[in-house]
Amino acid sequence: LSESPVLFKQELQNEEVKEGKQVKLTCELSKPDTPVKWMKGDTVLYASEKYEFKQRGTVAELIIRDVKSIDS
């Protein structure tokens, strides 16, 4: 039995935020509780003071604190 692939129901949207503030990026998947890997280019992001990950059902969130221009 082949599983159907996990798809984006809602893709990541661009967000604008002032430097020093925090921003929340959200996407929605077609399957609940699917493991998500957040990346910036080819770099995998890990939970830290700067990055926080949340996942509820099909919704995955990335919170970036103390945003700088390099985070764009």
Side-chain angles (χ1 to χ4, degrees):
L1 186 67
S2 67
E3 287 196 38
S4 57
V6 177
L7 304 172
F8 285 110
K9 283 171 63 177
Q10 179 195 334
E11 296 207 3
L12 219 47
Q13 302 296 307
N14 286 326
E15 298 285 346
E16 285 194 18
V17 66
K18 288 190 178 353
E19 283 200 31
K21 300 292 186 189
Q22 77 171 30
V23 65
K24 179 168 71 176
L25 302 172
T26 305
C27 63
E28 189 173 358
L29 307 167
S30 59
K31 258 189 177 160
D33 303 315
T34 303
V36 170
K37 182 171 21 175
W38 289 95
M39 302 181 74
K40 180 179 189 289
D42 295 330
T43 306
V44 178
L45 304 180
Y46 295 98
S48 63
E49 290 288 310
K50 187 168 184 73
Y51 303 116
E52 181 183 348
F53 311 117
K54 293 184 179 177
Q55 198 163 355
R56 292 185 311 278
T58 57
V59 178
E61 294 176 346
L62 165 63
I63 296 160
I64 305 174
R65 295 190 182 85
D66 190 21
V67 171
K68 303 277 190 253
S69 58
I70 195 167
D71 295 315
S72 58

